[in-house]
Amino acid sequence: MRHRTLASSPALWASIPCPRSELRLDLVLASGQSFRWREHSPAHWSGVLGSRVWTLTQTDERLYCTVYPEKEGRGGRPTPEDLKAIREYFRLDVSLARLYSHWGSVDPHFQKVAQKFQGVRLLRQDPTECLFSFICSSNNNIARITGMVERLCQSLGPQLIQLDDVAYHGFPSLQALAGSEVEPQLRKLGLGYRARYVCASAQAILKEQGGLAWLQQLREAPYEEAHQALCALPGVGTKLDENLPHRGVQPQRGQLFRPSGMHSR
């Protein structure tokens, strides 16, 4: 099976209204929030969301998506439930126009540079993927983090589908990350000292906190509670933890981002 483009298979795509001022795929998917999206065709981004493989693209006014079957087969057009998942992932219920207007009114620097960064928003990621990707991000850069996360998924995650010469894998489960032989395996994959923290945090969540349900419920917890809980995990320092509640483990308290070039003063 090949990666789709909107031009090559239009019947297998669905769309929702979404102007570029509310979402720029090229800025958001390559911004260092998620590390699992690739631009395999011009302006077409493919990656894993909810244990399924998607390709996304956009026009000036609409966001288009197609989702691949879990096993080899042609598959069908995305369903309303699929479109709901995309809306939730990009938090399209949040109006960037209103936020940009407010921020610009209280911050002249933001007002000055915001025109260069229209459509930058936070993703609502899977809590497990969010947490362990950001443990990998310690003292690292986007290119190296992307490679680490990809090798982690290829080694420990379930294979989903192959498109062209690219094999897509789901993110590993807590159980897969907590295995007794995982740390040396992750060190061989280039995670270095982070390998110990990945394993120890997975083990702590499973043995001390009750598993995945605990991590998921932090999304609904007050910010301070989520902050304290995450700081208790091995390898999650204060700086790292300040990022997690905004990106997938806990609901946003207001959109917060700092893409390259939109620096603080």
Side-chain angles (χ1 to χ4, degrees):
M1 186 179 298
R2 301 183 63 85
H3 288 93
R4 298 170 185 161
T5 65
L6 184 58
S8 68
S9 51
L12 297 178
W13 293 71
S15 70
I16 53 180
C18 182
R20 290 184 192 271
S21 60
E22 288 291 319
L23 173 65
R24 281 273 305 273
L25 291 177
D26 58 330
L27 294 182
V28 173
L29 296 181
S31 66
Q33 295 187 62
S34 173
F35 303 95
R36 312 220 50 212
W37 295 92
R38 306 287 188 280
E39 190 179 17
H40 287 289
S41 299
H44 287 69
W45 295 81
S46 297
V48 179
L49 170 61
S51 298
R52 302 173 73 189
V53 180
W54 305 67
T55 298
L56 310 174
T57 191
Q58 64 184 145
T59 62
D60 286 344
E61 297 295 333
R62 300 193 74 85
L63 173 63
Y64 287 83
C65 65
T66 186
V67 61
Y68 299 89
E70 297 182 16
K71 295 183 179 180
E72 293 295 330
R74 184 167 178 78
R77 184 183 175 92
T79 66
E81 197 65 24
D82 293 331
L83 295 180
K84 180 182 178 182
I86 291 294
R87 287 181 180 274
E88 291 178 350
Y89 183 66
F90 288 108
R91 305 186 185 206
L92 294 182
D93 58 319
V94 176
S95 170
L96 282 192
R98 292 177 184 168
L99 290 174
Y100 273 50
S101 176
H102 170 67
W103 293 332
S105 70
V106 298
D107 186 342
H109 176 69
F110 180 90
Q111 187 175 38
K112 181 179 178 180
V113 301
Q115 291 303 315
K116 297 180 181 179
F117 298 97
Q118 291 291 307
V120 179
R121 60 172 58 242
L122 294 177
L123 301 173
R124 183 172 174 82
Q125 300 181 64
D126 171 77
T128 303
E129 179 177 339
C130 181
L131 171 62
F132 290 97
S133 294
F134 275 86
I135 290 177
C136 291
S137 76
S138 175
N139 298 316
N140 221 334
N141 59 57
I142 291 177
R144 290 192 66 224
I145 302 164
T146 299
M148 286 183 182
V149 171
E150 185 60 28
R151 293 190 295 273
L152 180 71
C153 293
Q154 290 175 355
S155 180
L156 297 175
Q159 183 168 344
L160 302 176
I161 196 170
Q162 180 159 329
L163 301 176
D164 297 310
D165 59 348
V166 181
Y168 288 89
H169 294 75
F171 200 85
S173 66
L174 290 171
Q175 288 78 6
L177 295 172
S180 59
E181 302 299 321
V182 169
E183 182 181 339
Q185 184 177 356
L186 295 183
R187 288 185 180 273
K188 290 180 181 179
L189 295 177
L191 270 70
Y193 69 88
R194 304 166 192 86
R196 175 165 61 93
Y197 294 135
V198 167
C199 297
S201 284
Q203 291 167 0
I205 293 170
L206 288 171
K207 297 177 181 179
E208 301 170 16
Q209 303 296 346
L212 181 60
W214 173 82
L215 190 58
Q216 291 176 328
Q217 63 87 25
L218 290 181
R219 280 183 160 185
E220 312 304 328
Y223 179 87
E224 291 74 15
E225 179 182 330
H227 181 279
Q228 183 178 7
L230 291 168
C231 276
L233 294 174
V236 181
T238 303
K239 181 178 179 181
L240 200 62
D241 172 71
E242 288 290 347
N243 286 285
L244 290 170
H246 293 290
R247 287 185 166 93
V249 179
Q250 200 262 355
Q252 62 186 13
R253 298 194 300 179
Q255 194 90 349
L256 173 66
F257 59 86
R258 189 177 299 166
S260 177
M262 191 179 283
H263 57 277
S264 59
R265 291 172 294 175

